[in-house]
Amino acid sequence: MIIDVHAHWGPWFFTMDVAGANLTAMDRFGIDLSIVSATEAVIYDAPAGNRSLAAWLATQDRHLGYVTVNPRRPADAERDLRTYLPTGKFVGVKIHTDYTRSPVSSAQTREALAMVAEAGVPALVHTWGATVLDLAQTCLDIPGLRVIAGHMGADGFAHAIEAANACDRLYLEPCYSHAPTGRIAQVAAAVDRTRLLFGTDSTLIDPASAFGAVAAAGLDAETAELVAWRNAARLFDLDITA
């Protein structure tokens, strides 16, 4: 069983056609379930992308969705959370701090994450470098908030270790466009293994990158199973047994 907690649906703004690549990639790598955000929602128009994703998810049985929130548009965010979370097809929230120009430490992102905490679902938040420390502090400041540090800080994975050890409601997923030697092994050895998740950044990045990086970490069998799916099933309250 493999659950990908960081995936996408829909075409990107690059000169390539990936709109239909999601299921193909999942089949190739044995991914059973992907939790996806709409590319349109992340990079352009959150309400339009969420609306399109909701229609598509209604026809799917191997995908669940993130409601994408733009912290600069709180009224849209509140409406979309109220509309889509009750459907059962959306299990979390996606916030991309860079595309929205809304740093984790900004007032608008903190307010958006407070809204997420009230909704009772996890939030996947883009982190890079030391911003994962800001996410940990925000999580500590907002009671009940559960967050996934997307890319676990990327090149700032040492900060991700500090962040995860500072806040027991912060989870780490590893997808990254580079593969520094020992990155995942170092993180896995230093943090609570029940807060490690698997994510690929598909269809922006080929899942081979994440699979190779995790394989290179040499995780023991029990930890590998937690990373592959058990931790995600628990975090998102999914009724899955293997």
Side-chain angles (χ1 to χ4, degrees):
M1 171 70 67
I2 299 174
I3 299 175
D4 182 353
V5 305
H6 190 161
H8 306 279
W9 170 78
W12 287 90
F13 49 80
F14 308 107
T15 308
M16 60 182 185
D17 181 11
V18 298
N22 192 284
L23 277 170
T24 302
M26 290 173 66
D27 289 341
R28 189 165 78 248
F29 290 95
I31 298 170
D32 298 277
L33 178 68
S34 283
I35 307 178
V36 299
S37 56
T39 305
E40 179 185 12
V42 171
I43 66 175
Y44 181 59
D45 185 330
N50 289 333
R51 186 166 57 250
S52 296
L53 179 59
W56 182 76
L57 285 174
T59 69
Q60 304 299 309
D61 59 7
R62 292 174 60 192
H63 294 82
L64 293 169
Y66 289 110
V67 179
T68 298
V69 163
N70 183 337
R72 294 181 178 275
R73 298 178 178 270
D76 289 345
E78 184 177 9
R79 184 192 63 244
D80 282 1
L81 291 176
R82 189 172 59 248
T83 299
Y84 299 118
L85 289 178
T87 67
K89 296 298 289 185
F90 288 81
V91 293
V93 169
K94 171 69 178 284
I95 298 177
H96 199 297
T97 53
D98 285 358
Y99 286 134
T100 60
R101 298 294 189 266
S102 304
V104 173
S105 58
S106 67
Q108 60 262 34
T109 296
R110 291 172 65 90
E111 289 170 6
L113 287 171
M115 195 183 303
V116 174
E118 186 175 350
V121 295
L124 171 61
V125 182
H126 177 84
T127 63
W128 213 267
T131 63
V132 67
L133 295 173
D134 295 329
L135 183 61
Q137 186 58 56
T138 299
C139 192
L140 288 169
D141 292 342
I142 300 176
L145 177 64
R146 293 170 294 154
V147 292
I148 303 167
H151 313 291
M152 63 183 193
D155 59 352
F157 63 93
H159 298 306
I161 292 172
E162 182 180 350
N165 288 329
C167 179
D168 63 5
R169 289 176 282 116
L170 185 145
Y171 294 75
L172 303 175
E173 71 82 18
C175 66
Y176 184 28
S177 52
H178 300 275
T181 301
R183 175 174 174 261
I184 293 177
Q186 289 179 54
V187 172
V191 306
D192 180 351
R193 64 182 183 173
T194 65
R195 286 188 283 121
L196 300 174
L197 305 169
F198 179 71
T200 66
D201 217 4
S202 173
T203 55
L204 179 61
I205 299 175
D206 191 293
S209 175
F211 272 89
V214 172
L219 304 176
D220 64 81
E222 186 174 353
T223 301
E225 185 174 56
L226 289 171
V227 172
W229 73 275
R230 286 194 181 275
N231 291 340
R234 186 179 304 112
L235 175 62
F236 289 99
D237 195 24
L238 304 178
D239 185 16
I240 294 176
T241 58

